[in-house]
Amino acid sequence: MFSEAMGAPDLLNPERRMLRAMQLSEPDRSWDLESLLAACEWTDQAVAVGAGHGLQNHGFVAVDERVLREISLDLGGDDAHKNGLLEHRIWSWMNDHEDEHPPTMKGLQEAFERHEAGPGVGLLKQLGVSIEGGLLVASNPDEITRAIAERTDFLTSLPALDDTLDQSLLNHFSARKNLIKVVERTVRHWSLTAEGQHVSSDDLQETVVISELTPELLQGEAWKSAEFRAFDVTLEAATPRTGRSHPMQALIERVRSIFLEMGFSELVDDYVQSAGWNMDALFIPQDHPAREMQDTFYLDQPSSIKLDDDVLQAWKSIHEHGGETGSTGWGGTYSTEVSQRPLLRTHTTVNTIQYLAEHPNEACRVFSVDRVFRKEAIDRTHLPEFHQIEGIIMEEDANLQMLVTTLKTFYTKMGYPEVRVRPAYFPYTEPSLEIEVKWRGKWLELGGAGIFRPEVTEPLGITSPVLAWGMGLERLAMLVLGLDDIRQLYISDLEWLRNQPVL
Ligand code: PHE
């Protein structure tokens, strides 16, 4: 412990100043924040609180800390203060009502808006109004008037300290929405201890303490004899609350920068598309179950999207008998009407395929991160609107190995180096792959990939192999953010959003 002979062990400057100021006044004075700030010539209360805390740790100062609860009007309370409490207004209306005695429920519903009439009746019932055959009947009008006046007086008395208020009314208003709010305030008083009184004023001279290293300082000699400010990195500090991107947006940016870095260009396109490009171009048969109304969002407006006759005829021949590809096609009769039905794209492959149709002979690497729509029931792992990470590589020597390497590179850059592919089936690719990533010891399926079939490429005049993939962005977000419910991404849970890592 402290002994007089020891002097003041390494006090910080604010602590020295505060202790000195306290020593200069009566020894048993109790200091409040304002007098302390004035005596030390400070404006920032955090400095005073910090110095007081330090002196307390040294045993030189005693701190008396009390938490006060101050009750004040919240938004709804301000309004009630100006215009009267809801029960007050309804009660006045009931009493003013001359032509119709006693007042009716119907009259109430006409005189007050729905959002007031409902809760208002509840409040009146609690006060003793009953509804009898559509009439509002008060058996104890004086008591009601009194209770309402008491509530009004309570609100008028705010702001006030918790323990000065009637607790049953306080409970009543705490249970109602937005009328009152509680603000907790810590009030401190500081006083010298016997030890604090005995610290020698010689030890309380403020020293020049260097808190920042500058090149000028290091070039001279002064630093050799200077005192350096120590930082206590174990002290609690507030986390700065600044604006930031939503984690989904941050993830999209990261995916983008990875593909850009890998030499891809970004494709952005509309989500209103024709069934022809969304499905027929990809050799998805016209009677495929995924094309049904219960799986795909079709649009009423426009009633159809006009497609080029050449392309319709090419798809017709591919679908009916395989065109020139040697395939047998799907058989049956192909409908150009079905082709021209508008829909919300069910995958972003609808856009890469159109890009290829426009540039059938230019080697390319294209990606997109964009929204798609499927008629899914919302649950822990499904949303009707979600995002896909889509991509294609068209090159003369493109092959399966290149596809797998590209996907592995992407996921490795995302932080998931363990990637495997498994055989899968899509009507538009051969071979077709499923991409899986290892996460917490388990393999998770994140998307599909493959090489476009001739039934897809030939009608569009594409001659080089096209590697293609489409992967779920929300699935990836669940891994990155460690979520087990996909819905968390889109509810505006501010506390959760603030605590998400920077991606
Ligand atoms: N379009 C597929 C899907 O939505 C993914 C995919 C894209 C598969 C490209 C193969 C090639 O799941």
Side-chain angles (χ1 to χ4, degrees):
M1 263 314 288
F2 168 80
S3 80
E4 258 178 79
M6 266 172 62
D10 39 85
L11 291 183
L12 300 173
N13 278 339
E15 293 165 354
R16 292 178 194 215
R17 185 184 298 194
M18 175 165 161
L19 192 52
R20 236 164 75 98
M22 291 175 88
Q23 283 183 349
L24 291 174
S25 185
E26 312 86 67
D28 45 9
R29 171 166 174 190
S30 164
W31 296 72
D32 64 10
L33 181 66
E34 262 162 47
S35 52
L36 200 58
L37 289 175
C40 297
E41 298 179 343
W42 288 328
T43 49
D44 184 354
Q45 58 165 301
V47 177
V49 174
H53 196 71
L55 289 171
Q56 184 188 25
N57 286 342
H58 282 106
F60 299 150
V61 158
V63 187
D64 172 49
E65 215 170 77
R66 232 168 292 174
V67 180
L68 299 182
R69 280 165 43 93
E70 191 181 69
I71 318 294
S72 58
L73 293 175
D74 204 350
L75 281 180
D78 279 333
D79 187 60
H81 186 55
K82 274 188 223 113
N83 306 316
L85 278 160
L86 178 57
E87 57 267 46
H88 174 84
R89 288 185 286 119
I90 298 187
W91 183 238
S92 310
W93 169 83
M94 281 173 67
N95 292 317
D96 289 351
H97 222 75
E98 275 151 30
D99 35 312
E100 200 185 353
H101 263 301
T104 63
M105 265 303 276
K106 193 163 164 284
L108 176 87
Q109 278 153 354
E110 282 162 7
F112 290 86
E113 283 190 41
R114 233 231 204 113
H115 72 273
E116 294 201 321
V121 169
L123 287 164
L124 290 179
K125 276 188 180 164
Q126 281 168 17
L127 287 165
V129 172
S130 54
I131 302 168
E132 290 163 22
L135 301 177
L136 295 165
V137 185
S139 50
N140 53 347
D142 294 344
E143 173 55 21
I144 296 179
T145 306
R146 194 197 57 74
I148 291 179
E150 197 178 79
R151 291 182 188 175
T152 307
D153 290 346
F154 180 90
L155 290 186
T156 313
S157 73
L158 300 183
L161 291 179
D162 175 3
D163 49 13
T164 65
L165 290 169
D166 178 297
Q167 295 298 306
S168 73
L169 281 170
L170 181 57
N171 289 339
H172 168 84
F173 281 111
S174 304
R176 291 173 69 172
K177 249 192 171 168
N178 297 337
L179 288 176
I180 59 168
K181 63 185 173 200
V182 182
V183 179
E184 293 199 343
R185 200 151 45 87
T186 307
V187 177
R188 297 181 181 83
H189 283 91
W190 294 266
S191 53
L192 274 179
T193 61
E195 286 91 341
Q197 287 169 29
H198 291 123
V199 178
S200 146
S201 61
D202 291 346
D203 289 329
L204 298 180
Q205 297 300 325
E206 291 181 45
T207 51
V208 180
V209 180
I210 293 168
S211 59
E212 202 183 343
L213 291 179
T214 59
E216 292 77 13
L217 185 71
L218 296 175
Q219 277 157 17
E221 299 284 304
W223 62 269
K224 288 187 181 164
S225 54
E227 211 175 301
F228 290 92
R229 158 120 204 240
F231 289 98
D232 185 350
V233 292
T234 64
L235 282 181
E236 253 187 67
T239 309
R241 297 286 194 222
T242 55
R244 55 184 295 191
S245 295
H246 188 281
M248 278 312 276
Q249 192 55 41
L251 183 63
I252 290 174
E253 293 307 335
R254 208 170 131 197
V255 169
R256 272 198 182 124
S257 62
I258 291 178
F259 277 110
L260 291 171
E261 190 179 295
M262 289 167 69
F264 284 76
S265 327
E266 184 169 1
L267 179 66
V268 181
D269 208 339
D270 297 338
Y271 40 72
V272 172
Q273 296 287 346
S274 61
W277 283 110
N278 194 81
M279 292 137 174
D280 300 347
L282 295 163
F283 198 50
I284 301 174
Q286 289 197 324
D287 61 3
H288 194 286
R291 301 178 61 139
E292 302 279 323
M293 291 279 280
Q294 60 266 30
D295 291 308
T296 299
F297 291 107
Y298 288 95
L299 303 176
D300 286 337
Q301 294 286 340
S303 58
S304 99
I305 291 182
K306 182 97 194 75
L307 294 178
D308 207 39
D309 214 39
D310 292 349
V311 90
L312 287 174
Q313 288 317 312
W315 292 337
K316 184 176 173 66
S317 114
I318 284 281
H319 278 243
E320 288 179 354
H321 53 79
E324 312 284 298
T325 61
S327 160
T328 56
W330 296 112
T333 316
Y334 176 91
S335 155
T336 53
E337 221 160 274
V338 165
S339 238
Q340 298 181 87
R341 285 183 69 185
L343 48 71
L344 294 179
R345 69 178 167 212
T346 63
H347 53 185
T348 37
T349 322
V350 66
N351 302 122
T352 44
I353 193 64
Q354 287 175 89
Y355 178 88
L356 290 169
E358 284 157 25
H359 310 88
N361 301 310
E362 292 162 33
C364 69
R365 288 174 169 236
V366 170
F367 80 100
S368 70
V369 189
D370 228 331
R371 191 176 299 204
V372 299
F373 306 83
R374 289 184 198 171
K375 228 168 168 171
E376 305 262 18
I378 297 179
D379 65 22
R380 219 168 47 74
T381 52
H382 292 92
L383 293 171
E385 277 187 53
F386 56 100
H387 293 78
Q388 286 188 325
I389 308 171
E390 187 86 27
I392 46 167
I393 298 179
M394 175 167 70
E395 252 167 58
E396 212 177 316
D397 300 321
N399 57 34
L400 193 64
Q401 185 54 48
M402 191 168 168
L403 174 61
V404 176
T405 309
T406 305
L407 296 173
K408 280 198 172 161
T409 306
F410 169 72
Y411 282 113
T412 304
K413 284 175 184 274
M414 280 304 306
Y416 302 94
E418 288 187 80
V419 180
R420 73 175 185 190
V421 292
R422 306 211 301 164
Y425 172 77
F426 300 101
Y428 35 102
T429 47
E430 180 61 36
S432 301
L433 308 173
E434 213 162 70
I435 312 150
E436 294 185 332
V437 163
K438 199 163 198 180
W439 184 67
R440 296 189 182 162
K442 275 192 298 189
W443 289 102
L444 297 179
E445 199 217 307
L446 289 189
I451 303 182
F452 279 146
R453 298 173 67 101
E455 289 94 330
V456 174
T457 51
E458 276 194 26
L460 303 176
I462 298 162
T463 49
S464 300
V466 181
L467 316 176
W469 59 88
M471 306 177 294
L473 179 71
E474 279 78 359
R475 282 279 178 91
L476 183 60
M478 288 174 79
L479 300 199
V480 174
L481 302 171
L483 298 181
D484 56 13
D485 192 327
I486 199 166
R487 291 169 288 198
Q488 183 70 39
L489 293 169
Y490 295 109
I491 55 175
S492 301
D493 177 347
L494 284 183
E495 200 44 39
W496 178 80
L497 287 169
R498 283 188 184 127
N499 291 323
Q500 288 317 291
V502 174
L503 296 181

